[in-house]
Amino acid sequence: MLKVKKSFALCIMMIFLVTNLLFTACSAKPTEQSQEIQKSEEQNQANSQNGEKVEVDVFQFKVEIAKELEEAARAYEAEHPNVKINIQTVGGGDDYGAALRAKFQSGQEPDIFNVGGPQDVKDWMSKLEDLSDQPWVKLALPGILSGATVDGKIYALPFNIEGYGLVYNKAIFKDAGIDASKITSFESLEEAVKKLDKKIKSGELKDKYPLLEAVFEYPAKETWVTGLHTSNAVLSQEFDSSMAAFNSKKVDFKYGDALKALIDLQADYSSNADKKAKLNAVDYATQVDEGIAIGRVAIIQQGNWIYGGVKNIDENVANNLDILPLPVKGAVEDSIPVGVPMHWAINKNSPDADKEAAKDFLNWLYTSEKGKDFIVNKFFFIPPLKGFENLELKDPLGKAVKRYAEEGKTMPWVFMGYPTGWGQEVLGTNIQKYLAGEMTWDKVISNSKSKWEEMRQQ
């Protein structure tokens, strides 16, 4: 297991090394990479001259880029007047997977939709267009397509590379006299949290941070945060990849106590510490927009995707964010999970003209100069492809993810291999019951283990 985890860390390091080289490259010589981009742009131009009127329906989950994706669609339409891009975003507090299934069952099948890793690809295989011949495939960073590859065929385009951990306000930490660089274990994290909590309750920070009321905000309503992301840190210690989780008939919860410790720490030092059942009503907006963005809390478990939203509320706060490790007590304690959050897939049952336009839009978004500007500077994505030579990561959270990756301090995203619905509907729901005092922790673990085995037999 240790060797496999070292291999994963090395793979992530290589991805960011390649990305770093691309961001700093300045050679003017034509390369295979630039030829692929030119080929894609020429195809984009040819398609824009096709007079056939088509509409592409996009059903996507990433609420953080909803506005910016609409802007990208309008920019594409300006260059391709024969194409209309319709975008529907479902995410945040809503279950995208359930919404997507309902969308297909209603007969209103989208042309472009999102799939996660191996489990999603298996579940949606009957709807997935083979994208192996698309220009962006040859631009993919090493290993980045593994979650959407079956029998050598590529079925989806990775959104980006993301990482998450404990996002914190550096200014608050500095004024509280806490050195974040010393937080490299659960013990040191707990010590820092207790120190900050004491200063908040004593009123020492009140003058400078009048809204600051708690160390954490933990959105238990968002079962993707609890049942997928928090659990991933722990289960990545027993599964070395999403494929390993996908192929496993059982889950042992070897570090189940460490999962409890992570949840308890965030709950015990939240604004609902005395009535933890109330955490089950805390959603993403309460945690991010009405939490860390306005200085009401100092730390939240989230990732680099929150930067744009926080920036829209308070740019000064956004530029003072960084990421602490998500420590698994007794295992890996100085790292963060890094991986591909989701993929773009194309409905193979859509009309041919719609499919071609959908492919062209995704190629434009990830290979044209204007599209790449949206990817890095509007979406604040860490690109999953080569060809971003002239664009540099600017946001502090993206830089933090890159820093962890270059230091080899990463864990794999294994939750993409959980049984369908298990992470949110089983484990996430059980965690809500635990916080409400309706289920013991031992029962959370035993019930979640048995449900995994049941779902694998279906």
Side-chain angles (χ1 to χ4, degrees):
M1 179 67 73
L2 181 59
K3 290 182 179 178
V4 178
K5 291 193 181 300
K6 286 183 177 178
S7 296
F8 170 80
L10 180 61
C11 180
I12 291 294
M13 288 176 66
M14 288 300 296
I15 286 176
F16 274 88
L17 176 61
V18 171
T19 303
N20 188 54
L21 289 172
L22 291 171
F23 282 155
T24 57
C26 57
S27 173
K29 294 181 180 180
T31 63
E32 180 180 351
Q33 169 191 319
S34 61
Q35 290 168 1
E36 285 299 324
I37 296 172
Q38 181 179 357
K39 177 182 175 182
S40 176
E41 291 179 342
E42 289 173 353
Q43 184 63 50
N44 290 342
Q45 183 65 29
N47 288 344
S48 70
Q49 297 172 357
N50 184 345
E52 183 180 2
K53 299 291 183 180
V54 296
E55 289 195 19
V56 175
D57 294 324
V58 181
F59 191 77
Q60 73 98 23
F61 94 110
K62 205 153 189 57
V63 296
E64 299 90 351
I65 64 164
K67 177 176 176 288
E68 292 75 15
L69 184 59
E70 289 282 359
E71 293 172 357
R74 302 295 82 80
Y76 175 83
E77 290 170 350
E79 296 180 15
H80 304 77
N82 59 305
V83 180
K84 178 73 170 70
I85 307 290
N86 305 310
I87 299 173
Q88 183 177 357
T89 299
V90 174
D94 298 314
D95 185 338
Y96 176 78
L100 181 61
R101 290 191 293 272
K103 190 77 171 174
F104 272 85
Q105 289 167 1
S106 72
Q108 298 178 328
E109 299 189 6
D111 302 303
I112 298 176
F113 60 100
N114 302 151
V115 293
Q119 185 65 59
D120 269 4
V121 171
K122 177 186 177 183
D123 292 344
W124 290 99
M125 181 56 73
S126 64
K127 299 291 184 180
L128 300 181
E129 176 82 353
D130 181 359
L131 302 179
S132 302
D133 63 349
Q134 292 302 290
W136 53 260
V137 171
K138 291 184 179 179
L139 302 175
L141 294 174
I144 206 74
L145 300 178
S146 61
T149 301
V150 178
D151 296 331
K153 295 181 179 181
I154 313 300
Y155 288 97
L157 165 64
F159 262 55
N160 61 336
I161 299 168
E162 291 184 342
Y164 66 90
L166 297 174
V167 176
Y168 72 101
N169 186 315
K170 292 192 295 183
I172 293 176
F173 268 51
K174 181 179 179 181
D175 290 328
I178 298 172
D179 184 354
S181 68
K182 304 296 185 182
I183 301 176
T184 57
S185 66
F186 186 87
E187 182 181 2
S188 55
L189 171 65
E190 188 174 35
E191 182 180 330
V193 166
K194 289 179 178 178
K195 180 178 181 179
L196 181 54
D197 180 65
K198 184 176 181 180
K199 289 182 177 290
I200 292 172
K201 289 177 178 175
S202 70
E204 286 185 48
L205 303 172
K206 193 72 174 177
D207 288 344
K208 194 164 185 179
Y209 306 99
L211 299 180
L212 185 60
E213 64 179 24
V215 178
F216 288 105
E217 188 65 280
Y218 194 51
K221 182 177 180 180
E222 308 287 8
T223 53
W224 60 271
V225 173
T226 57
L228 297 181
H229 285 189
T230 310
S231 74
N232 181 94
V234 172
L235 293 186
S236 67
Q237 308 309 304
E238 61 183 273
F239 299 122
D240 53 63
S241 67
S242 59
M243 284 302 301
F246 175 68
N247 290 324
S248 181
K249 301 299 182 183
K250 65 176 183 175
V251 59
D252 293 328
F253 276 107
K254 181 179 178 182
Y255 293 97
D257 288 344
L259 177 58
K260 180 179 183 296
L262 277 174
I263 293 170
D264 285 348
L265 185 68
Q266 296 183 71
D268 289 344
Y269 293 92
S270 72
S271 55
N272 291 298
D274 295 332
K275 296 181 180 179
K276 295 175 189 174
K278 288 187 176 181
L279 291 173
N280 294 331
V282 176
D283 60 11
Y284 179 89
T286 305
Q287 183 199 34
V288 179
D289 302 352
E290 301 164 15
I292 200 165
I294 63 171
R296 185 174 63 81
V297 297
I299 311 174
I300 61 173
Q301 183 198 299
Q302 282 294 345
N304 62 293
W305 54 82
I306 74 166
Y307 174 77
V310 176
K311 180 175 179 287
N312 290 337
I313 295 170
D314 191 320
E315 188 168 359
N316 183 57
V317 170
N319 290 330
N320 267 293
L321 297 179
D322 205 333
I323 304 178
L324 295 171
L326 195 59
V328 180
K329 195 174 182 179
V332 175
E333 302 194 34
D334 62 352
S335 302
I336 65 170
V338 174
V340 174
M342 198 67 90
H343 301 75
W344 299 105
I346 292 176
N347 186 350
K348 75 175 186 181
N349 297 327
S350 292
D352 289 344
D354 292 5
K355 286 194 293 185
E356 289 308 307
K359 292 175 183 177
D360 191 64
F361 174 60
L362 292 181
N363 273 310
W364 175 89
L365 189 59
Y366 282 83
T367 66
S368 74
E369 291 307 312
K370 187 169 290 186
K372 289 187 291 185
D373 181 64
F374 274 100
I375 292 294
V376 174
N377 295 322
K378 304 295 194 315
F379 299 175
F380 299 108
F381 277 3
I382 300 172
L385 307 178
K386 304 171 189 175
F388 288 75
E389 295 88 346
N390 300 319
L391 297 166
E392 182 180 355
L393 294 175
K394 297 177 180 178
D395 73 280
L397 296 183
K399 289 180 179 179
V401 173
K402 185 180 177 186
R403 182 182 73 241
Y404 276 98
E406 290 175 342
E407 293 175 357
K409 295 179 178 179
T410 62
M411 313 174 205
W413 283 26
V414 302
F415 65 85
M416 296 294 189
Y418 292 177
T420 304
W422 181 84
Q424 292 186 254
E425 297 165 22
V426 176
L427 181 56
T429 299
N430 286 346
I431 290 171
Q432 289 178 335
K433 292 177 181 178
Y434 167 70
L435 292 170
E438 300 170 359
M439 183 179 279
T440 65
W441 184 253
D442 286 344
K443 186 65 176 178
V444 169
I445 296 298
S446 62
N447 178 265
S448 299
K449 289 171 69 172
S450 63
K451 288 294 184 182
W452 179 296
E453 294 177 17
E454 287 177 22
M455 296 169 88
R456 281 294 186 233
Q457 294 173 0
Q458 295 175 0

